[in-house]
């Protein structure tokens, strides 16, 4: 299994719900997102764009990324969203592109943001039959695309399927395979039953076993369970420490750990796991950052962090709304 802090969890807040902005940033989600799309009625789109600017000026946590979901680029509202983002004082770390159906959607977003948002990355939401068919091409749409997100509700409605795991397993598998083939992340759709934590636990576990990197939350109370599901347990971390120690002792040559032969790929994967999920508790403030980053691995510090200099000692804590 692959674990990452880049996108274990995402919590969405309507752009018009300004009173919830601070809670979103403090919720413990890896991605705190303000929404300009489904949660905003047509008559309030322009107001939502104006209000959303303040979302990105608020302090965030050490590992959180700030994001915005724009409207579909097949209509004018999505283009207006992109223009508004270029004028924000503080730019979002991520832009979620809904209803993605071809690499052109990503290209449009990248072209519109251009040099005004050079560090902003993208997640493409695949939620239509055409999007599922074109998922491999979308996933390979460019270096600024960091992952695919499966939109189960819209997809199920479009094909006339039940909104359940079994009926949507093929689509989910295609999203994961397309993302992993392109070296990017994959996020699963929300579990919509807010009070059914047992159901969430089951579906989150299935998503993890399928290869998803994380899952969207529809309420802060879901975040703790989601973050724990998409994080390594202590047994896995302990093994990673043993693998790293063996690699250091043997010069990273092939060796045996717990009866299993391991080599360079195991050493590197174990080192990344420890760096993200088992860092030293009190690193020296002047210690240089020696962590490596690849396209499918997260940036460990967001622009919001550099702007605010804030962090949290419990990134998995979820705050009830």
């Amino acid at each position: 299994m692959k674990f990452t802090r880049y996108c274990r969890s995402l919590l969405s807040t309507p752009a018009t719900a300004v009173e919830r902005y601070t809670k979103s940033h403090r919720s413990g989600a890896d991605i705190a997102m303000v929404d300009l799309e489904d949660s905003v009625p047509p008559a309030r789109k322009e107001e939502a764009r104006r209000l959303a600017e303040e979302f990105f000026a608020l302090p965030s946590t050490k590992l959180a990324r700030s994001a915005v979901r724009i409207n579909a680029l097949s209509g004018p509202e999505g283009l207006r969203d992109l223009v508004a983002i270029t004028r924000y004082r503080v730019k979002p770390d991520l832009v979620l592109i809904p209803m993605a159906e071809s690499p052109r959607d990503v290209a449009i977003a990248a072209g519109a943001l251009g040099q005004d948002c050079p560090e902003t990355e993208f997640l493409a939401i695949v939620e239509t039959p055409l999007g599922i068919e074109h998922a491999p091409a979308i996933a390979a749409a460019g270096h600024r695309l960091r992952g695919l997100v499966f939109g189960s509700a819209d997809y199920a409605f479009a094909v006339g399927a039940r909104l359940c795991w079994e009926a949507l397993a093929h689509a989910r598998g295609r999203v994961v395979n397309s993302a992993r083939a392109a070296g990017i992340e994959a996020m699963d759709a929300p579990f919509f039953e807010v009070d059914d934590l047992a159901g969430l636990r089951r579906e989150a576990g299935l998503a993890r076993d399928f290869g998803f990197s994380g899952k969207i939350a529809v309420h802060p109370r879901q975040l703790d369970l989601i973050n724990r599901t998409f994080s390594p347990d202590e047994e896995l971390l302990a093994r990673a420490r043993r693998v790293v120690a063996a690699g250091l002792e043997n010069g990273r040559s092939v060796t045996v750990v717990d009866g299993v032969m391991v080599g360079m790929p195991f050493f590197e994967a174990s080192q990344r796991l420890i760096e993200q999920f088992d860092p030293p508790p009190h690193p020296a403030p002047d210690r240089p950052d020696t962590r490596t980053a690849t396209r499918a691995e997260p940036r460990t510090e967001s622009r919001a962090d550099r702007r605010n200099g804030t962090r949290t000692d419990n990134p998995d804590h979820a705050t009830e709304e």
Side-chain angles (χ1 to χ4, degrees):
M1 296 177 187
K2 295 183 65 175
F3 294 100
T4 176
R5 282 188 181 271
Y6 188 80
C7 58
R8 290 173 305 170
S9 56
L10 179 154
L11 181 65
S12 177
T13 300
T16 51
V18 179
E19 71 281 1
R20 291 164 53 184
Y21 283 7
T22 298
K23 287 184 177 180
S24 176
H25 283 291
R26 297 176 178 176
S27 67
D30 287 344
I31 300 172
M33 188 191 81
V34 63
D35 184 38
L36 299 174
E37 194 206 15
D38 285 348
S39 65
V40 178
R44 301 190 68 184
K45 294 292 187 184
E46 188 58 39
E47 177 192 6
R49 279 188 281 271
R50 175 178 55 80
L51 293 172
E53 181 174 8
E54 296 307 313
F55 186 84
F56 304 104
L58 292 172
S60 188
T61 59
K62 176 70 176 177
L63 296 174
R65 271 154 293 282
S66 60
V68 57
R69 179 171 66 171
I70 62 173
N71 288 275
L73 292 175
S74 56
E77 296 295 353
L79 299 176
R80 293 185 184 114
D81 293 339
L82 292 174
V83 172
I85 290 168
T86 64
R87 298 171 179 166
Y88 287 173
R89 302 185 311 279
V90 179
K91 315 301 186 190
D93 294 304
L94 282 165
V95 170
L96 276 75
I97 305 169
M99 298 290 178
E101 294 188 329
S102 81
R104 181 65 174 160
D105 294 303
V106 180
I108 290 171
L113 296 185
Q115 296 183 351
D116 294 302
C117 305
E119 296 183 55
T120 298
E121 298 174 329
F122 305 121
L123 295 176
I125 308 176
V126 181
E127 50 191 333
T128 67
L130 193 58
I132 293 295
E133 284 299 305
H134 293 168
I138 296 170
H143 71 279
R144 293 178 72 172
L145 181 69
R146 293 298 302 271
L148 298 183
V149 180
F150 177 51
S152 62
D154 282 284
Y155 178 76
F157 177 79
V159 300
R162 285 184 59 207
L163 189 59
C164 65
W165 184 272
E166 292 76 11
L168 303 179
H170 167 73
R172 280 186 161 101
R174 188 166 176 84
V175 169
V176 170
N177 193 73
S178 299
R180 296 310 187 187
I184 62 177
E185 306 297 344
M187 284 200 79
D188 191 31
F191 182 75
F192 295 99
E193 300 296 329
V194 175
D195 296 322
D196 184 4
L197 291 182
L200 172 63
R201 183 177 293 107
R202 172 184 178 272
E203 190 165 290
L206 288 169
R208 177 199 60 208
D209 294 348
F210 248 54
F212 281 102
S213 312
K215 192 171 181 64
I216 295 173
V218 295
H219 193 278
R221 71 167 61 108
Q222 295 181 328
L223 287 170
D224 182 66
L225 194 157
I226 289 174
N227 282 340
R228 284 189 284 109
T229 299
F230 290 95
S231 299
D233 59 21
E234 179 53 37
E235 181 179 351
L236 187 56
L237 285 173
R239 173 174 166 76
R241 296 186 205 106
R242 293 195 294 273
V243 170
V244 169
L248 292 174
E249 183 179 346
N250 291 278
R252 293 203 165 194
S253 59
V254 175
T255 187
V256 176
V257 177
D258 299 338
V260 178
M261 185 170 292
V262 297
M264 186 63 71
F266 292 88
F267 300 141
E268 293 179 349
S270 296
Q271 184 65 43
R272 287 196 299 269
L273 195 69
I274 291 172
E275 287 168 351
Q276 288 192 59
F277 293 95
D278 191 31
H282 299 291
D286 58 347
R287 181 180 179 181
D289 188 352
T290 58
R291 290 171 289 193
T292 58
T294 65
R295 187 173 176 225
E297 293 296 329
R299 294 176 300 168
T300 54
E301 180 172 308
S302 70
R303 294 193 307 286
D305 305 326
R306 296 194 294 271
R307 180 182 71 242
N308 298 298
T310 56
R311 65 166 294 162
T312 178
D313 293 326
N314 185 10
D316 292 342
H317 176 69
T319 303
E320 285 285 344
E321 291 194 356

